Amino acid sequence: MAEKIVIVGGAIMGSSLAWWLTELGHPPGQITVVERDPTYAACATAFTNSCIRQQFGNPLNVAVSQFGVEFIRNFQMYMGDDRVPPIHFHTFGYLYLAGDEAEADRLRRAHDIQMQAGSGTRLMTPDEIAAEWPFYDLDGITLGSYGARDEGYFDGTTMFDWWRRLARERGVTYLAGEVTGIDAPGGRVTGVRLADGTTLGADIVVNAAGTRGADVARMVDADLPVEPRKRYTWIIEAEHPLEKDLPLTIDPSGVHVRTDGHWYMAGATPDHDPAVDANDFAGDWSIWEDRVWPALATRIPAFEALRVRQSWVGHYDLNTFDANAIVGPYPGLDGFMILNGFSGHGLQQSPAMGRGLAERIVHGEYRTLDLSPFGPDRLLRGERFVELAVI
């Protein structure tokens, strides 16, 4: 008899996994997704900027994103349903700017990895950057790294909606509720308990709870180094729009900005970046006047005259151990699996991560990309699987 699976968290990762499980042949009636907020109004997925890039410093992360691009471009084919629309994909690229030789060297080392993986990254001198995008002030810039292919932003909402919709139509149960306990007598998962007193039997429990992942892990006395961290986003209108699309530009100041339709989208990490409560979306908006706007106007003088049209605070499920995904079975606890800690890369990595963990559950092994280096066993060994290219 097929194993009963409970997925804790029904946002982008939980829904990707649910759909992929059905796609790989697991009986949908044996899959339950428990989501504490079925409106998804305050999950990390709701506040994502829906970007995707090849410019990672870890070859497995490059491969994960490459499959993400393949999935986005062939979304209708993968979903196998005539009702499914294409996903709009705006490929203007990412442009990393180095402000010193140490950062330039990091870009060169990452470029070598990306080239070996078949990405389209180009290293560019300041003169080459100025010739391509004359609106930058490149004072202090020593090198740039530009993703000339398969980088930009896409309609992640459509992907999320159709994963969830088709999983439910196939027979997956989506249950509104909050998991408050996981039963695991003798080191084997047997079920979960909900806040309303409901109990669900399970052979496998998957922690896809995003910023609440550490709380879920503590229910089985597991230590997951994942914390909610605030990330700021602004939608801005320029009095003097640029003459061409703005790549997602990562400035040495840490501020990033890109074209967003007729406007622009900017983002930043606060200088003071502690762990926060998963319900805390309040913003210290002085960061705009004190840091973000000055950085934008310095790098792109046309942005001296800007108007903020919208702003919000979202959360990263930041893996404080090595800023990389945590995916796979948790050692010493049969039936407990992790799909968490994506550190801001979740939406772009969700096609490959959902597929990979579904393979691990259905087939007992990874059959496409080997995701075992992301396994939670590395946490217990104290061996980091590092990704330095975190925005």
Side-chain angles (χ1 to χ4, degrees):
M1 186 174 177
E3 294 172 308
K4 290 183 180 179
I5 300 172
V6 171
I7 301 171
V8 185
I12 195 70
M13 285 297 169
S15 289
S16 171
L17 175 60
W19 181 82
W20 275 110
L21 283 167
T22 66
E23 189 72 3
L24 296 183
H26 196 89
Q30 297 294 88
I31 305 168
T32 300
V33 179
V34 182
E35 171 53 48
R36 65 186 303 278
D37 177 17
T39 71
Y40 300 96
C43 65
T45 301
F47 296 106
T48 179
N49 295 345
S50 295
C51 298
I52 189 165
R53 58 185 160 106
Q54 312 296 304
Q55 292 187 74
F56 285 95
N58 180 305
L60 184 51
N61 278 331
V62 177
V64 164
S65 279
Q66 287 172 334
F67 177 69
V69 169
E70 178 189 328
F71 191 85
I72 291 165
R73 290 196 182 280
N74 298 286
F75 185 60
Q76 294 167 297
M77 180 198 74
Y78 274 104
M79 302 307 287
D81 191 308
D82 292 339
R83 298 170 298 166
V84 174
I87 291 180
H88 297 293
F89 186 18
H90 307 271
T91 55
F92 49 69
Y94 277 57
L95 177 63
Y96 283 83
L97 298 175
D100 56 38
E101 192 52 36
E103 179 61 15
D105 184 59
R106 190 195 70 77
L107 291 182
R108 293 186 191 99
R109 286 185 281 114
H111 177 261
D112 289 342
I113 291 169
Q114 293 153 22
M115 288 296 94
Q116 292 172 22
S119 72
T121 310
R122 291 166 48 201
L123 293 179
M124 303 180 71
T125 67
D127 286 344
E128 290 171 331
I129 296 170
E132 187 79 17
W133 301 283
F135 45 71
Y136 290 118
D137 181 337
L138 297 168
D139 183 42
I141 297 301
T142 59
L143 189 69
S145 179
Y146 175 58
R149 187 178 71 245
D150 293 337
E151 294 191 341
Y153 74 99
F154 66 100
D155 180 6
T157 300
T158 292
M159 186 169 71
F160 172 45
D161 286 347
W162 279 97
W163 272 338
R164 191 171 74 252
R165 177 175 178 176
L166 290 184
R168 295 180 70 168
E169 288 182 2
R170 290 176 177 182
V172 173
T173 298
Y174 271 70
L175 185 64
E178 184 171 3
V179 173
T180 55
I182 300 173
D183 296 320
R188 162 157 278 286
V189 164
T190 60
V192 302
R193 287 167 275 127
L194 307 187
D196 64 2
T198 301
T199 60
L200 301 173
D203 303 298
I204 294 174
V205 173
V206 180
N207 179 358
T211 55
R212 291 178 168 81
D215 296 334
V216 172
R218 278 191 287 271
M219 296 175 189
V220 289
D221 296 324
D223 184 19
L224 199 64
V226 174
E227 298 177 351
R229 297 292 186 92
K230 291 183 180 181
R231 297 294 180 265
Y232 288 70
T233 299
W234 295 264
I235 302 297
I236 51 181
E237 180 183 6
E239 183 176 333
H240 304 290
L242 305 176
E243 58 268 27
K244 61 191 298 186
D245 281 342
L246 175 65
L248 197 155
T249 304
I250 301 94
D251 190 71
S253 66
V255 174
H256 60 272
V257 62
R258 65 164 169 85
T259 290
D260 191 68
H262 297 297
W263 294 345
Y264 302 92
M265 176 182 283
T269 299
D271 291 328
H272 180 55
D273 187 27
V276 298
D277 187 272
N279 295 310
D280 179 6
F281 291 91
D284 176 7
W285 297 107
S286 65
I287 187 177
W288 170 256
E289 294 281 351
D290 295 345
R291 178 177 162 219
V292 177
W293 191 1
L296 294 177
T298 297
R299 188 60 59 211
I300 305 173
F303 281 178
E304 290 181 356
L306 295 174
R307 177 181 299 174
V308 175
R309 289 294 187 176
Q310 188 180 2
S311 57
W312 64 84
V313 171
H315 288 168
Y316 277 9
D317 55 333
L318 183 68
N319 171 6
T320 59
F321 182 68
D322 58 16
N324 235 332
I326 308 171
V327 180
Y330 196 87
L333 188 58
D334 289 347
F336 188 58
M337 297 201 173
I338 308 293
L339 188 60
N340 213 284
F342 293 94
S343 305
H345 308 138
L347 204 80
Q348 64 183 291
Q349 295 190 326
S350 57
M353 297 299 186
R355 178 185 65 172
L357 192 57
E359 290 173 346
R360 183 67 176 73
I361 291 171
V362 173
H363 303 305
E365 62 181 358
Y366 297 117
R367 291 193 169 180
T368 48
L369 291 176
D370 180 6
L371 303 184
S372 56
F374 292 125
D377 52 311
R378 77 184 192 275
L379 308 177
L380 303 186
R381 296 194 308 269
E383 296 177 4
R384 288 173 170 79
F385 187 55
V386 176
E387 176 54 67
L388 298 177
V390 178
I391 300 174

